[in-house]
Amino acid sequence: MEMKEILKSGIEQALQDTINSGGLPAGEYPEIVLEVPPQKEFGDFSTNIAMQSARVARQNPRAIAEALISHMNFDWLERAEVAGAGFINFFLKSDMVYDTLKAILNAGDQYGVQPLRARDTIQVEYVSANPTGPLHVGHGRGAAYGSALVNLLRAAGYNVQSEYYINDAGNQIDNMAISIEYRFQELQGATLVFPPKRNEDGSMPEFDIPEGALVFPENGYRGPDIIETAKTIAEREGFDKLNAMNEADRVALFKEEGLKEKLARLEETLSNFRVTFDNWFSERTVHEADEIHHSVEALKALGKVYEKDGALWLKSTDYGDDKDRVVIRDNGVPTYLAADIAYHRNKYDRGFKEMIDIWGADHHGYVCRVKAAMAAFGYDPDKLTVLLLQMVALFRDGQLVKLSKRSGDSVTLDELIEEVGVDASRYFFLMRSLDSQLDFDINLAKSRSNDNPVYYIQYAHARIHSIYNQVREAGIAFGDYSETDFTTLTSEMELELIKKLAEYPEEVVQSAEHHAPHRIARYLFDLASMFHSFYRQGRIIGVDPALQQARLGLITAIALVLRQGLGILGISAPEKM
């Protein structure tokens, strides 16, 4: 059992003993929460359980704390003290600290990995960008966060399924197909004219159209990737074959082949970014099974949809929305909301215990609408958690970077990976909470210095392996720590490092519970900082043999936790830098 669990179990026992002895009344006491005090003089751990229990016990928090301490006579506890308004600070005996280090080394790669919980599955759906062009850096943040969250939840013992919702139906795919058609004509010598942006009143400004030129669709995709797609398809299918087809059939072919090509490139980018999915869910399946129609009809039967001005409206105001929403337009065409409703109904029917969607901040208005529809069906809307991804601002040389060097549009994820690398990109995306805007410093991310947090963490891991190489060169046997005397680790820094390592399992659990991979990033940085300080303060090799072996065991545990944590973040743990 880990250090925190032993202490928590001891507090629970003391609480029950205090109740049994009449010192506290029976009742529903709150869950025990342990924290590491900000200063060493306040002990190894602290809890506010006495303050949280005051309402149940109807007693002064300090009196509750004193009563609990009086029932905590454990051989692993040096002492416990009441502080402030009723905090309890715990000072653990050194033997317990050493036992923790042994337990970490014995657990190996399973340290911090929680046993699998109930069979119920959590589904995490993320990225889900339209397959009409390359992923940009905003998608990159969602990809890094979503994949790290999946890893984190699995480490915390949850059964997780990751899903990508492919928006392969609707106007955006039709616009992509038409855009490929125009680029196909351009490849054969046609001149394209691109309409300007509309005026503020919605009118189109006048613009020149040379004789014989084709006006590119106003809602078409203008990126250079469409040119590449048109060229790839034309060379594969043959220009003669394509020209022999009527335009409608050719556009239909461009739609299918373009979608395949875009999805393949999208999947390749994500794979290069260490992002994979258990399931790729096609929006087309919702349309083909007529699930949109069935969902709307079901809502109508429940009295949650009504007709007005020829359209069908969801009574979303019944569930907290600021106005009702159209699900079927007056021309009979479903809205995007209708498709989202059908898709999420499908999710609920698949029986997930919890569903987590990661959306861009610009989709915040959809949260209430989708949840309203689920509540209208009779589902529990609280089973659906929507996390909103805030914007990413790229900076180079202190200047905001808005445009891609290649396309003149937004910077693509591929470009960022090429310039910065996967490890730095993922860490910088993950080092801030999802709900805060992220300023991404390209120069810092590329630097090989201690100012770069991911380099600093990885260097700690590599430095430990450098020590291993020195040990091997010296002919010193190491690696089996079953008989190691860890009581030789008596310095304050050594003991603090072990206690920091002991926090890792709880950090995994709490980070998963709060959907906060950035906590793991921060923990790893703190651990690496402590290791670098330890390395500078004292020798590991060439000291007393017993102390040398104990310190090798300590840095082995540090490397283990660094590797585990970096693995959760999808970042490599290099042995040489």
Side-chain angles (χ1 to χ4, degrees), residues 460-470 472 559 563 574-575:
H461 187 267
R463 177 172 260 175
I464 291 170
H465 279 268
S466 175
I467 295 169
Y468 292 162
N469 291 335
Q470 296 174 46
R472 292 188 188 98
R563 187 168 63 250
E575 296 182 3

Side-chain angles (χ1 to χ4, degrees), residues 2-4 36 45 97 100-105 111-112 464 489 493-508 523-524 526-528 530-531 550-551 553-563:
E2 294 152 2
M3 192 185 299
K4 268 193 173 182
V36 176
F45 294 101
V97 178
T100 296
L101 180 54
K102 291 178 184 177
I104 294 170
L105 293 168
Y111 180 62
I464 291 170
L489 301 174
M493 178 61 74
E494 289 165 338
L495 296 176
E496 289 303 311
L497 270 167
I498 298 172
K499 292 172 185 176
K500 187 67 177 179
L501 294 172
E503 294 175 25
Y504 178 68
E506 181 70 11
E507 192 63 58
V508 169
Y523 170 88
L524 293 175
D526 291 344
L527 177 60
M530 293 177 69
F531 165 74
R551 285 180 173 173
L554 174 58
I555 66 171
T556 296
I558 294 169
L560 167 70
V561 172
L562 288 173
R563 187 168 63 250

Side-chain angles (χ1 to χ4, degrees), residues 7 29 103 135 183 217 223 266 388 394 433 476 484 497 518 539:
L7 180 53
Y29 285 84
L135 299 175
R183 290 300 190 180
L266 188 150
L388 296 176
L394 287 179
S433 63
I476 301 170
T484 300
L497 270 167
H518 69 276
R539 297 174 64 185

Side-chain angles (χ1 to χ4, degrees), residues 181-192 194 214 227:
E181 162 69 14
Y182 275 74
R183 290 300 190 180
F184 170 70
Q185 297 300 335
E186 184 182 37
L187 289 172
Q188 300 181 98
T191 299
L192 300 186
F194 296 89
L214 300 176
I227 301 173

Side-chain angles (χ1 to χ4, degrees), residues 300-328:
K300 188 187 294 185
L302 290 167
K304 302 301 180 181
V305 164
Y306 63 92
E307 185 175 347
K308 177 185 173 185
D309 300 329
L312 295 180
W313 299 69
L314 172 68
K315 292 182 179 180
S316 53
T317 50
D318 289 354
Y319 303 94
D321 199 0
D322 59 344
K323 62 180 180 180
D324 292 341
R325 305 291 174 173
V326 175
V327 287
I328 304 293

Side-chain angles (χ1 to χ4, degrees), residues 220-242:
Y221 293 99
R222 305 185 183 190
D225 60 289
I226 295 293
I227 301 173
E228 294 173 14
T229 299
K231 186 176 181 181
T232 299
I233 297 173
E235 290 176 349
R236 183 175 64 241
E237 300 292 331
F239 283 88
D240 290 343
K241 173 188 171 182
L242 293 172

